[in-house]
Amino acid sequence: MAPRSQSTARQVRLGTELRRLRESAGLKAREVAALLSSTSAQMSQVEAGLAGVSEERVRRLAAHYACADEALIEALVAMANDRTRGWWEEYRGVLPPVFLDVAETEHHGTFLREVVTSHVPGLLQTPDYARAVFGYMVPELPESELNPRVEHRTRRRSVLERGVPVPYETIIHEAALRILVSDRATARAQLLEVLRAIENGRVTVRVIPFAREGFAGAGIEMMYVGGPLPRLDTVLRDAPHGTAFIDAESQLARFRVLLNKVGKAALPPVESRDFVHHMTKEL
């Protein structure tokens, strides 16, 4: 099978987990390749997410690696068998691949927990708000680039609106709610959209007010995406080159602690709803 020209974040993650299992077993790629009558190059492609891997091979690899974690094996098999072609595939070749990777990661998440301090969460943004955010980029995007970005961001909300929505909790700092990324009408419509999301019962929103003492985490922004197992969780963070996908176990543990620390500074859901409601009156 010819190697893929481009891998998705999910395909790369499967390869990464297989590599981690091999390294934990103390085996080199060439040793495993010999056991499977394969080549080191083919093993490297699989572990880099550049080549697919069958369910049978995943199970054989797990056996060679003496992996006794049945839940992990089944989760990796599910990833290997996944042939989902979601709505985001419509944007392949239209938007940078990371946009598609974010949507696919959210689609497969077992839960989503987010912390934002500078903008309303992307999953809750109105089209006008999203247009203002993307329209601020330098150099300025032409309409042919701006429109699909706004549309893609709006369609990401499908994970919250499908028959069985992904559980989603977001912690929003008051600053993100007050910054006027556009005009006051857009800001008010955005706050009303946050309230609508709260009231439909599919989203949990908690607010950190300016007046809250003990919050020094203004730089902590992240989307924590739950996997089928904690080991397969993923953290998404904005980086200078785009969105970074973080999955090292030590880093996941670190971000779990940070999430809990931030959560202690946030108002409970009902108080947060009332807080946002009061803000709409001010506009």
Side-chain angles (χ1 to χ4, degrees):
M1 180 182 295
R4 300 174 176 124
S5 59
Q6 192 167 48
S7 305
T8 68
R10 186 169 170 83
Q11 290 164 344
V12 170
R13 181 63 181 280
L14 173 59
T16 297
E17 292 302 324
L18 292 174
R19 175 181 56 76
R20 287 171 176 164
L21 285 177
R22 175 179 59 76
E23 292 174 343
S24 294
L27 294 171
K28 296 187 180 302
R30 66 174 180 272
E31 295 173 321
V32 178
L35 290 170
L36 299 177
S37 299
S38 183
T39 66
S40 296
Q42 290 172 330
M43 285 299 302
S44 295
Q45 289 172 358
V46 167
E47 293 184 352
L50 293 173
V53 58
S54 66
E55 173 179 345
E56 178 189 6
R57 179 149 291 193
V58 169
R59 294 190 185 280
R60 288 184 65 192
L61 288 171
H64 286 310
Y65 301 153
C67 177
D69 189 337
E70 290 297 330
L72 175 60
I73 294 171
E74 293 305 319
L76 297 181
V77 164
M79 292 173 72
N81 286 336
D82 181 36
R83 298 293 184 270
T84 301
R85 291 188 61 83
W87 60 265
W88 52 86
E89 290 294 338
E90 298 173 28
Y91 296 87
R92 191 166 299 282
V94 178
L95 295 176
V98 69
F99 282 75
L100 285 64
D101 288 337
V102 168
E104 183 180 41
T105 301
E106 291 172 342
H107 172 82
H108 288 287
T110 56
F111 65 85
L112 307 173
R113 294 184 67 189
E114 189 166 21
V115 176
V116 294
T117 58
S118 59
H119 290 99
V120 170
L123 286 172
L124 301 182
Q125 288 179 11
T126 65
D128 287 341
Y129 187 102
R131 180 172 293 275
V133 172
F134 286 121
Y136 207 74
M137 296 179 68
V138 177
E140 187 172 326
L141 294 171
E143 287 295 308
S144 60
E145 294 284 339
L146 181 60
N147 288 336
R149 281 168 169 77
V150 173
E151 185 180 273
H152 177 276
R153 177 153 292 184
T154 303
R155 293 183 70 179
R156 281 173 54 200
R157 195 179 301 188
S158 62
V159 298
L160 308 178
E161 298 174 340
R162 64 196 191 194
V164 181
V166 179
Y168 174 58
E169 177 185 49
T170 181
I171 298 175
I172 311 175
H173 194 277
E174 182 180 349
L177 296 171
R178 289 198 179 276
I179 293 174
L180 299 178
V181 303
S182 182
D183 54 31
R184 297 178 73 85
T186 298
R188 189 169 190 277
Q190 179 61 76
L191 291 179
L192 289 173
E193 179 59 27
V194 172
L195 283 175
R196 186 195 69 80
I198 294 172
E199 289 164 0
N200 72 18
R202 296 191 170 199
V203 172
T204 299
V205 173
R206 300 177 63 201
V207 176
I208 301 177
F210 279 125
R212 200 70 158 185
E213 296 181 0
F215 176 69
I220 301 173
E221 291 205 329
M222 73 175 103
M223 166 80 84
Y224 193 104
V225 184
L229 303 169
R231 169 176 174 155
L232 298 178
D233 293 349
T234 304
V235 170
L236 310 184
R237 297 203 78 192
D238 287 337
H241 60 279
T243 301
F245 290 70
I246 301 169
D247 54 39
E249 287 193 76
S250 60
Q251 290 297 314
L252 292 175
R254 170 174 171 263
F255 283 112
R256 290 185 196 112
V257 173
L258 284 172
L259 269 174
N260 291 333
K261 288 188 71 171
V262 173
K264 292 177 181 178
L267 297 174
V270 173
E271 291 182 37
S272 295
R273 179 202 61 198
D274 294 343
F275 191 94
V276 177
H277 181 73
H278 179 73
M279 289 182 64
T280 64
K281 299 301 183 183
E282 295 178 0
L283 290 170

